[in-house]
Structures are given as structure tokens and as C-alpha cells.
Amino acid sequence: MKDSLSVHLPVKDTLFIPLYIRKDTSFSVKADSTANFRDYVTDILNDSFPVMEYRPSLFVNKTYICDRQMKMQPVNHNQDSHGWAFIVLFFVLSVMAIVMKLFNYRYFEILRSCFSNKFFEVLLKYNNNFVLYITLLALPVISLLLYAVASYFELDRNFGYELEGYILYAIAFAVVSSYIAIKILLIKFLGSLFRNKEITRYYITNQLSFLCLDALILYLPTALALFVNDYIQYYFVVAASSIFVLLSVIRAVRGLYLIINLFRFSSVYLFCYLCIVEFLPLFILVKVLFM
């Protein structure tokens, strides 16, 4: 039997075009207009699935963790680069390194005096000018911490302003410097009023010593609170602020302990002073962070 070959007629090539790709002239009011991609896909999906609802996106909005009402706030995409803050931190670190290299014993003597009565008495025998100079390093560090808190919670916008980073830091530096200066002057005034300059000298020396300790301990947490990613910045801001509050409480208790054990002084004055000058700013900081 002769082999037979079945001949198949060539089939014309065709391109299958799904219906949903074709232009729907009934989609828009204007038949000549072409729908954009977003509206077109939305219309197709709405035909097959339940109608989509538009909700605020976390890519466009953010929610404060401490906000009890969980209000959405617009993301500020023009965030400060904090280049000036890096210069401030580098300057403070350089000065600390020079002081530790040239005045190693004196510097650590100041730090040990915060917890040792022996070193504190030794420190009182020297001139306090060196302690005062080292205290100046605490001003930019504490000011950066205050700036980090104010910048993260956008406290300037609560007053109707949107300040540049370095301007907000300058305001924080002025506030910290003024507060410390006024507190020291108030201590001297009350010491003169009660006619006991020796207590004033002890208390001011304790204040300056702890400010030196603040500059050393708060340096790294403050730097992290400024330069970490946004989604973990809140935790470092709270951590640095908590360390500052803890050191402030220890400083107040230490000063109270020195005065009670070395002198006989009015407990009413100490209570009023500690509540107004020491603890009131800490309560304000805790309220900003957690309430």
C-alpha cells in the first residue's frame, strides 16, 4: 500500500488578544480620551472583585507611636541631613580625646568624684576652673539631645513654625545654656541668702562633675538618636532621654546626700529647690516623650 501523506493547509497566524486589553470606549465620559493606567486597572478589578477602597498609605503618611489617637501625619521627605550635627559631634569627640590624652588623671578624677566622697573631697581642694571648662563639653551634647527630641516630635510645628535643623539646634543650645546658668546663679543666690557659701560650693561642684559625666555617657546615644533609620529612631530618642533623666535624678540625690551628711541645712529649702529646679524639667521631658 502506498504511503499517503496527509497535507494540512497552513493556518493563518493570529494573535489572541484578551478582551480586557482592548480599549473600552465606555470607560470614560469622553469616548476619544484614553484612560490612564491606574484608572484602567482599577476599573477592570472593580468589575471582577469588590470595589477597592482608598486608604492612607504608610508610604505617604506616618503615625506617631506616642500619639494615642493614632493620627496620620504627612511624611516630611525633605528631612535635614544633619551634616552640621556631625561636625558638632566630631568637635566634641576631638576635644574629649585631647583632654583624656593631656589631662587623663584630672578628667577621670572628676568622673570618679560623682560616686566617691574621697575623690570629691580631693576635687574640692583644687581650683574649679578645670571642671568648669570640661563642663562646657556637656552643653553641645545635651543641646543635641534636646534637638533630637524636638525634631522627632516636631515641636516647632506645634507652635506654627517649621525651622531649619541648625536654627532649632541653636535655640536648643540657648535654652540649655540659659537653664544651666540660671540654675547655678540661683544656687549661689540661695547660698548667699542663707549665708552658707560652703554648701553652695559643694553643690555647684557636684553639678559640674555630673555634667562632665553626662557629656561622656550621652555622647553615643545622642549620636544614634540623630543618625539611625526613621523606624527605630524613636527608641533611641527615648533611650537617650531616659539615660539623661536617670543621671539627673542620681545627681540630685547625690547633691542631697552630700548636704545632709556634711551640713545641717533646712530640709524645707532642699525640698522646694529639688522640686522646682531639678525635677520639674524632668517631668516636662517625660510628658513630651510618653504622654
Side-chain angles (χ1 to χ4, degrees):
M1 185 176 179
K2 198 172 186 178
D3 295 337
S4 62
L5 180 63
S6 60
V7 179
H8 298 279
L9 295 176
V11 181
K12 185 177 181 181
D13 294 336
T14 58
L15 177 62
F16 174 73
I17 301 177
L19 182 61
Y20 57 83
I21 294 182
R22 298 179 181 179
K23 179 180 177 181
D24 186 5
T25 56
S26 63
F27 176 80
S28 178
V29 177
K30 297 181 180 179
D32 297 333
S33 62
T34 303
N36 55 43
F37 179 79
R38 176 181 175 180
D39 295 337
Y40 187 79
V41 171
T42 302
D43 184 70
I44 294 297
L45 294 177
N46 288 339
D47 291 341
S48 304
F49 302 98
V51 178
M52 293 186 297
E53 298 180 2
Y54 290 98
R55 299 177 180 177
S57 172
L58 292 178
F59 294 100
V60 183
N61 301 272
K62 66 179 179 180
T63 302
Y64 289 120
I65 300 178
C66 62
D67 190 356
R68 295 180 178 178
Q69 298 179 356
M70 298 295 288
K71 295 180 180 179
M72 303 296 290
Q73 300 291 338
V75 175
N76 184 15
H77 296 285
N78 297 323
Q79 296 181 352
D80 193 356
S81 61
H82 294 154
W84 54 268
F86 177 80
I87 297 175
V88 174
L89 290 171
F90 180 77
F91 172 77
V92 173
L93 182 62
S94 301
V95 176
M96 281 186 180
I98 294 174
V99 171
M100 290 181 183
K101 180 67 176 178
L102 301 179
F103 308 97
N104 187 8
Y105 180 77
R106 294 291 305 277
Y107 184 75
F108 286 100
E109 185 181 71
I110 295 173
L111 299 180
R112 286 192 290 264
S113 67
C114 297
F115 306 99
S116 173
N117 292 341
K118 177 182 177 181
F119 285 99
F120 186 77
E121 293 176 357
V122 173
L123 183 64
L124 289 173
K125 297 179 181 179
Y126 298 110
N127 192 352
N128 290 336
N129 290 336
F130 182 78
V131 182
L132 182 60
Y133 298 149
I134 301 300
T135 304
L136 297 177
L137 294 177
L139 297 180
V141 177
I142 298 176
S143 301
L144 280 176
L145 176 59
L146 181 60
Y147 163 77
V149 175
S151 177
Y152 181 81
F153 293 102
E154 298 178 351
L155 299 182
D156 55 335
R157 296 185 181 181
N158 294 338
F159 295 98
Y161 299 97
E162 187 174 356
L163 303 175
E164 296 291 338
Y166 60 91
I167 297 178
L168 187 60
Y169 171 72
I171 296 175
F173 187 85
V175 170
V176 172
S177 303
S178 301
Y179 170 73
I180 294 177
I182 293 173
K183 183 168 69 172
I184 292 177
L185 292 176
L186 182 61
I187 294 173
K188 287 189 173 183
F189 170 75
L190 293 177
S192 301
L193 183 63
F194 286 90
R195 297 180 181 181
N196 201 327
K197 295 183 179 181
E198 191 67 17
I199 293 180
T200 302
R201 182 167 173 261
Y202 272 61
Y203 203 85
I204 291 179
T205 303
N206 178 68
Q207 294 279 327
L208 298 179
S209 301
F210 267 91
L211 285 176
C212 298
L213 183 64
D214 290 348
L216 182 64
I217 296 180
L218 291 175
Y219 182 87
L220 181 60
T222 302
L224 293 175
L226 289 172
F227 293 103
V228 295
N229 293 329
D230 295 339
Y231 60 91
I232 59 175
Q233 186 180 12
Y234 171 78
Y235 302 102
F236 281 99
V237 169
V238 173
S241 302
S242 301
I243 294 174
F244 175 73
V245 171
L246 179 61
L247 291 175
S248 300
V249 172
I250 295 175
R251 181 186 66 223
V253 173
R254 170 70 173 171
L256 185 63
Y257 170 80
L258 291 173
I259 294 177
I260 292 178
N261 284 271
L262 299 178
F263 303 96
R264 291 182 179 179
F265 206 65
S266 174
S267 57
V268 177
Y269 155 71
L270 291 176
F271 176 78
C272 295
Y273 170 77
L274 291 174
C275 289
I276 297 174
V277 180
E278 293 288 355
F279 295 145
L280 181 59
L282 301 181
F283 291 152
I284 295 175
L285 181 60
V286 171
K287 179 177 177 57
V288 171
L289 291 175
F290 302 105
M291 297 181 182

